[in-house]
Amino acid sequence: MSTTTLIVVIAVAAVVVIALTVAMWSMARRRHLQNQFGPEYDRTVEAEGGRMAAERELRAREQRHDKLEIKELPADRRDRYATEWSTVQEHFVDRPEGSVEEADELVSRLMRERGYPTDDYGGRLRDLSVEHGRTLEHYRAAHDVKVRSADQRTTTEELRGAMVHYRALFDDLLTDQRSR
């Protein structure tokens, strides 16, 4: 085999190895994002109009989230929040709309105490999606009902559903107390 042929074979092999490495790295990164964000991954792909844009957005969310100081709550604070949730649920019988508003406020307060910014709804969604992507749809559904209930465009059953949705996120935030 001539030297030129050997160099061409080696160059082609190197290009193939590099291409395979890049493809495997991309697949691993995609799989990581899909596992990390759960259903939020597909939702972001649709909203951003493609995988590359969505993955850029999701990586930006991870980077922003890494800068947050998310903290554990001591057991007594978790117990206090659980008691407050029970009180909010008890209020539902007499005033469903008010209870949904209370639930939203309690979830926001819990988020804030854990270290999540709570300035705007869109920001809350982005920040929560990193570690709570599997319960984020609950938050969206509950928030939608809360907004509509302000104009009294909801049924009691929808308000009950909102409480169930808020409870899912509330429980996730309260019980997800891993060390960071």
Side-chain angles (χ1 to χ4, degrees):
M1 188 180 310
S2 72
T3 304
T4 305
T5 306
L6 184 60
I7 291 173
V8 169
V9 168
I10 291 172
V12 168
V15 168
V16 168
V17 167
I18 291 170
L20 285 173
T21 302
V22 168
M24 289 175 60
W25 179 82
S26 292
M27 286 175 24
R29 184 70 178 151
R30 178 169 293 142
R31 200 173 5 228
H32 161 76
L33 290 172
Q34 288 170 329
N35 290 336
Q36 176 79 25
F37 288 91
E40 186 66 11
Y41 178 89
D42 293 328
R43 183 181 184 82
T44 306
V45 167
E46 187 175 316
E48 294 292 325
R51 287 190 189 281
M52 289 183 64
E55 290 175 4
R56 235 184 340 269
E57 166 62 22
L58 295 174
R59 283 191 300 274
R61 290 181 193 186
E62 282 182 320
Q63 290 171 350
R64 175 181 158 81
H65 188 273
D66 287 346
K67 293 176 185 171
L68 299 176
E69 293 183 28
I70 307 301
K71 57 187 175 250
E72 286 187 36
L73 295 180
D76 65 319
R77 291 299 298 148
R78 289 193 310 267
D79 292 344
R80 178 76 178 126
Y81 274 107
T83 301
E84 285 185 60
W85 181 265
S86 294
T87 302
V88 169
Q89 282 183 300
E90 290 170 8
H91 292 162
F92 185 81
V93 174
D94 295 326
R95 37 189 202 87
E97 289 92 358
S99 294
V100 169
E101 183 66 38
E102 283 181 73
D104 183 72
E105 290 170 9
L106 185 59
V107 166
S108 293
R109 199 163 24 118
L110 175 56
M111 288 174 57
R112 195 170 25 262
E113 188 168 342
R114 292 278 321 270
Y116 288 97
T118 57
D119 299 335
D120 69 295
Y121 175 67
R124 283 181 286 205
L125 288 175
R126 281 189 307 277
D127 293 336
L128 285 171
S129 71
V130 176
E131 289 190 3
H132 303 281
R134 299 193 191 293
T135 54
L136 204 54
E137 226 17 73
H138 288 286
Y139 187 43
R140 280 189 177 96
H143 183 77
D144 176 60
V145 171
K146 182 191 89 108
V147 168
R148 288 187 297 114
S149 76
D151 298 332
Q152 294 158 350
R153 297 181 297 144
T154 54
T155 65
T156 303
E157 185 58 26
E158 288 173 311
L159 295 168
R160 187 198 66 73
M163 292 295 290
V164 170
H165 289 307
Y166 275 124
R167 177 65 189 244
L169 178 60
F170 178 82
D171 285 345
D172 199 25
L173 284 165
L174 200 59
T175 59
D176 178 35
Q177 300 288 312
R178 292 171 283 166
S179 297
R180 310 239 183 266

